[in-house]
Amino acid sequence: MPLDLSVMQPEPFPHPVMMRSDLYARRQPSREEKWGICSGSVCGALRVLVRRCREEAERRKLAMSILSVAGACVFGLMAVGVFWLAVEMDNSALQASKSSCSIKP
């Protein structure tokens, strides 16, 4: 008996859907609001300083993670190179000790 798909109804999505327009602010903030500086405000200047320090810390954190990955790659390549060199040296030692005629009468 074939399955009748016309009677099946999709279930509603259980979570609220976020629209693309919800990601952006309704109005553009002014320069003072953007930087958090009110004219003559020490608190606003401190907020800007803290924000800049956090942004710089994030950049440093990203740079350190990139350098860590690069260091791991270099270490891996060096380990493979040392292993390859050891195998080649062992192979050349075996070739040197082997007689020219391997079949003995």
Side-chain angles (χ1 to χ4, degrees), residues 18-29:
M18 185 177 220
M19 304 302 288
R20 177 176 229 133
S21 62
D22 294 337
L23 298 175
Y24 304 105
R26 298 288 179 217
R27 65 174 188 85
Q28 293 294 326

Side-chain angles (χ1 to χ4, degrees), residues 50-104:
V50 168
R51 184 180 303 129
R52 287 181 185 168
C53 288
R54 286 182 181 162
E55 289 171 356
E56 185 178 341
E58 287 294 321
R59 283 194 300 269
R60 285 185 181 178
K61 186 177 175 183
L62 178 64
M64 289 304 293
S65 61
I66 290 172
L67 289 175
S68 297
V69 169
C73 291
V74 168
F75 177 77
L77 286 174
M78 287 186 66
V80 168
V82 167
F83 178 75
W84 176 80
L85 184 61
V87 168
E88 284 296 318
M89 289 174 68
D90 188 43
N91 188 27
S92 63
L94 285 174
Q95 292 293 330
S97 67
K98 192 165 85 170
S99 66
S100 61
C101 181
S102 61
I103 302 173
K104 294 186 178 182

